[in-house]
Amino acid sequence: MTNDKQHTGGSLLFDVMQQHGVTDIFGYPGGAIMPIYDALYDSDVNHFLCRHEQGAAFSAVGYARASGKVGVCLATSGPGATNLITGLADALADSIPVVAITGQVPTVAMGSDAFQEIDIFGLSLACTKHSFQVTNINELEKVLHQAFAIALEGRQGPVLVDIPKDVQLAHVESTHPKVTRLKNKVNLPPANVGSAIAMLSKAKKPVIYVGGGVGMANAVDELRAFIETTNMPSVSTLKGLGAIDPDHEHYLGMLGMHGTKAANLAVQQCDLLIAVGARFDDRVTGKLAKFAPHAKVIHFDIDTAEIDKRRKADAAILGDLKVNLPALAIPLAIKEWQQHCQQMKNDFAWRYDHPGDAIFAPAVLKEISEKMPKNTCVTTDVGQHQMWSAQHMAFNDPSNFLSSGGMGTMGFGLPAAIGAQVSRPHDCIIAVSGDGSLMMNVQELSTIKRFQLPVKIVLIDNAKLGMVRQWQDLFFNGRLSETDLSDNPDFLMLAQAFDIKAKQVHHKDQVSAAIDEMFNHDGAYLLHVKIDAKENVWPLVPPETANDKMMENS
Amino acid sequence: MNHYQLIIHVDDKQVVLERILQVTRYRGFLINGIEAKVNTGTHIGTIKLQISSDRPIELLIDQINKLIDIKDVSVDNNAVAPT
């Protein structure tokens, strides 16, 4: 497709996509987006038909997170557009670059309560970084370029472009517009490097707290060099997992509500906390007023609005981590503190000596982690299996662990794995899910079948909404309200219905062979792991509690 | 409860006023009054927003500044706070 030909709005969309390097998109057609799907018919862009628009949105998110490229999803007006919303909210919460294209009823019908009309432009305000509605064909090309630019620049995020049907059909010639960056006018204050270095030099007990911003800034190498130079103990958020070398001797694991005891205690005891691309989320801090109570804070971020939002920073360093992190990389004399943290790491190491024949999910996930091929990408859904995956699996890059962090969206894992597999066809992709979560976007098994995607699904099945059940037991007097899922479908038959090989294991001695079989199978595979419904995720910091007051398995 | 008046200059773009109002409400500020007009020559809009909240005003300014079509945000220190 050439740039100077006469276009329809629909064909122009694919022309612009190709200029931005888009090769794969996820979507679902319908009435008000038919001209775009008609143009797709002649396009070189690969379209992956999902079976629900929410699946398309999550696949676009998974694609973006696994590849570092913009994810693209399409939906029609009305219910198609509203079905994208949860995926866009997820992308906003986790700062994922996604461009969503929605069809809209023709401009003459807009505002008349037309069939399948919804004000998706209005709905988008709370769940996108920015959004557009294009009512003039002459604006379309410029807007589409801006959408891709905004999704990627600064703190990344989702952008929605709503295009009425008549604009999709209208004819226009490409004008190759000079794209004006619609960047907001935030002027980053000068980095407070001198003050930060002074604090770092004086610190006796520093900890670096790493968030998802490191991966998004493509600053994993700079972070690891910083850690090598300073040799300070390090902890990670859920979204930061993979940024720190999991084998580094002073890495203490994930912090927060289900963090390791060593990570949480180190943060509570430290005298300097260096937050890097992290936002002091409530799942990280526990009771905010008691979080890291003795620490001064140095906060690195790209987003001015994150500074002082939840925790006052003693020094703020705004801007590109790739540039700013090396400026603070100085050797430190903190041997006593290192040894103390090392001792806690050893004293509170995970134990896998679980009694009885029943399968212990943490041990299964640890074995999968040890056996999975290099550069495997793991997605999760949300719940107990998610926290066990974060605790017991090891990742060597943030793009190899995709989990819904900010929004905590059940139904994320399977479609995100589809997107990841499309973006990285030669890598092993594993979706770790729970029986509650899997059923939330189970229709996407059909997408796996249609495109013969070799996604491995590890289903941790306790026939419960396990995390909610755990909280009901611990904090609601064991009143198990609506968390029983004992009427789940037969998951083996379900997998077979989509031509997916499957195996169920319910005893410890079956696990290793089944994991080997899963990895040796060329195509998609569902490993159905039955576990005891009473298993809990430990440790647990109860709500509104300081992170050193964690509950542990007794 | 602290009262403020924000003066916000914006590009005259789609739904910019809605975006500002949505962010203001979501971030925990009560909207007590609003004036908005556009200079048709420069296509720059000026919005005066009277708001109140117990939260620090800097948090809202940072969030409004992140919106794409915002030119600048400032607190009008001369505005009289409601009694």
Side-chain angles (χ1 to χ4, degrees):
Chain A
M1 198 176 285
T2 59
N3 287 340
D4 53 359
K5 68 178 279 193
Q6 184 79 14
H7 282 287
T8 63
S11 69
L12 183 62
L13 168 66
F14 292 105
D15 194 52
V16 172
M17 278 190 199
Q18 289 186 299
Q19 290 177 51
H20 287 271
V22 175
T23 53
D24 307 296
I25 62 176
F26 304 88
Y28 202 100
I33 200 168
M34 286 184 70
I36 285 176
Y37 271 83
D38 187 64
L40 170 69
Y41 202 76
D42 296 323
S43 166
D44 294 329
V45 173
N46 300 312
H47 178 271
F48 290 82
L49 178 70
C50 301
R51 292 305 177 96
H52 190 290
E53 291 87 351
Q54 187 182 109
F58 284 139
S59 289
V61 170
Y63 183 95
R65 292 180 65 165
S67 67
K69 297 190 280 189
V70 177
V72 177
C73 54
L74 308 184
T76 192
S77 62
T82 57
N83 282 342
L84 290 180
I85 292 253
T86 303
L88 296 175
D90 192 275
L92 183 67
D94 283 344
S95 310
I96 309 303
V98 166
V99 171
I101 306 293
T102 49
Q104 183 54 277
V105 300
T107 49
V108 292
M110 284 167 58
S112 71
D113 305 315
F115 176 65
Q116 290 192 332
E117 184 191 6
I118 191 74
D119 178 19
I120 191 64
F121 191 33
L123 289 171
S124 71
L125 299 185
C127 62
T128 60
K129 181 179 176 185
H130 197 61
S131 50
F132 299 92
Q133 187 172 63
V134 185
T135 52
N136 179 344
I137 183 66
N138 295 313
E139 296 289 321
L140 181 62
E141 187 173 19
K142 185 174 151 192
V143 163
L144 290 169
H145 283 297
Q146 286 172 338
F148 280 94
I150 291 170
L152 279 173
E153 72 187 11
R155 182 171 178 171
Q156 301 174 344
V159 179
L160 180 137
V161 184
D162 192 39
I163 311 175
K165 194 170 184 178
D166 54 315
V167 176
Q168 299 169 37
L169 287 164
H171 288 83
V172 67
E173 204 164 287
S174 172
T175 57
H176 311 291
K178 182 171 183 289
V179 178
T180 309
R181 291 178 56 165
L182 285 184
K183 194 177 172 187
N184 61 34
K185 306 301 186 293
V186 176
N187 292 316
L188 298 181
N192 208 346
V193 173
S195 164
I197 287 181
M199 275 187 253
L200 189 56
S201 305
K202 286 182 193 162
K204 300 279 189 290
K205 297 189 283 187
V207 169
I208 183 166
Y209 145 48
V210 172
V214 171
M216 286 185 294
N218 198 23
V220 171
D221 289 344
E222 288 73 13
L223 174 79
R224 292 185 179 187
F226 178 89
I227 289 174
E228 275 308 310
T229 302
T230 61
N231 241 329
M232 72 170 66
S234 56
V235 300
S236 174
T237 68
L238 179 74
K239 260 197 81 197
L241 292 174
I244 305 167
D245 177 357
D247 297 323
H248 193 275
E249 63 174 324
H250 300 306
Y251 174 53
L252 304 175
M254 185 171 75
L255 81 165
M257 180 173 277
H258 291 293
T260 69
K261 189 170 181 177
N264 279 332
L265 291 181
V267 171
Q268 291 304 96
Q269 295 166 9
C270 74
D271 63 0
L272 177 66
L273 188 64
I274 303 182
V276 184
R279 60 188 178 89
F280 297 88
D281 176 77
D282 57 279
R283 285 304 192 261
V284 160
T285 62
K287 189 174 179 62
L288 185 61
K290 295 188 174 176
F291 178 68
H294 314 296
K296 287 184 179 294
V297 170
I298 299 172
H299 195 167
F300 288 85
D301 213 287
I302 189 75
D303 183 355
T304 314
E306 289 302 337
I307 305 300
D308 299 340
K309 187 180 86 174
R310 293 209 3 112
R311 173 68 181 251
K312 183 85 179 162
D314 297 283
I317 302 183
L318 284 152
D320 187 354
L321 287 177
K322 289 177 81 70
V323 175
N324 289 337
L325 266 174
L328 251 68
I330 56 173
L332 303 175
I334 51 171
K335 198 163 186 63
E336 197 175 323
W337 172 239
Q338 288 169 338
Q339 287 171 342
H340 174 68
C341 290
Q342 193 66 39
Q343 189 64 48
M344 290 198 292
K345 185 176 178 179
N346 293 337
D347 290 348
F348 307 127
W350 299 120
R351 294 183 61 168
Y352 298 94
D353 50 344
H354 181 261
D357 291 335
I359 292 174
F360 185 45
V364 175
L365 294 166
K366 179 172 185 283
E367 184 171 346
I368 290 172
S369 181
E370 289 168 351
K371 288 181 171 176
M372 64 192 188
K374 191 177 176 205
N375 220 28
T376 291
C377 174
V378 174
T379 72
T380 75
D381 270 294
V382 171
Q384 289 182 310
H385 72 275
Q386 177 194 30
M387 291 298 106
W388 283 324
S389 299
Q391 291 173 332
H392 303 284
M393 302 184 83
F395 308 99
N396 59 11
D397 193 274
S399 64
N400 287 340
F401 182 62
L402 315 183
S403 192
S404 174
M407 194 53 54
T409 320
M410 292 174 69
F412 172 90
L414 183 64
I418 289 169
Q421 189 73 79
V422 169
S423 74
R424 289 162 49 175
H426 303 298
D427 285 334
C428 177
I429 310 293
I430 304 173
V432 180
S433 190
D435 50 305
S437 288
L438 185 70
M439 293 297 288
M440 282 220 178
N441 268 317
V442 72
Q443 78 285 343
E444 296 309 320
L445 292 175
S446 193
T447 311
I448 287 177
K449 177 184 175 183
R450 170 180 282 248
F451 296 102
Q452 293 292 294
L453 301 171
V455 172
K456 315 299 183 195
I457 302 163
V458 176
L459 173 58
I460 307 292
D461 179 7
N462 53 13
K464 289 275 185 292
L465 288 174
M467 188 62 93
V468 183
R469 191 278 309 154
Q470 176 173 340
W471 278 52
Q472 288 173 339
D473 269 335
L474 294 174
F475 307 121
F476 290 87
N477 300 318
R479 290 155 58 89
L480 305 184
S481 179
E482 301 296 327
T483 45
D484 178 73
L485 300 181
S486 55
D487 54 354
N488 274 328
D490 181 328
F491 286 110
L492 295 187
M493 285 183 65
L494 184 68
Q496 285 166 12
F498 293 97
D499 295 341
I500 294 171
K501 187 174 172 61
K503 172 163 276 187
Q504 183 186 81
V505 290
H506 40 88
H507 289 107
K508 275 179 184 160
D509 58 6
Q510 299 172 304
V511 169
S512 292
I515 291 173
D516 293 341
E517 181 178 302
M518 176 178 77
F519 283 127
N520 289 330
H521 181 66
D522 284 338
Y525 191 99
L526 186 144
L527 177 58
H528 183 200
V529 183
K530 294 285 289 179
I531 65 165
D532 187 330
K534 289 198 166 66
E535 289 288 353
N536 288 336
V537 179
W538 302 114
L540 163 65
V541 178
E544 277 303 296
T545 303
N547 278 353
D548 52 353
K549 307 291 184 209
M550 63 199 74
M551 299 168 70
E552 296 179 85
N553 197 7
S554 53
Chain B
M1 188 77 82
N2 297 312
H3 293 262
Y4 308 95
Q5 175 161 281
L6 290 184
I7 300 176
I8 308 165
H9 293 113
V10 301
D11 289 322
D12 180 21
K13 292 287 175 63
Q14 291 174 313
V15 304
V16 64
L17 182 57
E18 283 179 69
R19 290 186 204 280
I20 291 168
L21 297 180
Q22 188 269 331
V23 166
T24 304
R25 174 186 54 77
Y26 172 63
R27 297 293 173 181
F29 288 76
L30 192 63
I31 298 167
N32 306 118
I34 182 170
E35 294 172 41
K37 59 186 176 185
V38 176
N39 181 322
T40 51
T42 61
H43 299 288
I44 292 173
T46 301
I47 298 166
K48 292 182 179 175
L49 205 57
Q50 289 93 43
I51 52 178
S52 55
S53 179
D54 290 328
R55 300 187 179 185
I57 190 66
E58 293 77 17
L59 299 184
L60 179 61
I61 290 172
D62 283 345
Q63 295 294 344
I64 292 176
N65 253 324
K66 282 168 63 174
L67 296 174
I68 299 298
D69 299 321
I70 303 298
K71 297 189 82 66
D72 58 67
V73 186
S74 58
V75 180
D76 182 359
N77 292 317
N78 296 320
V80 178
T83 55

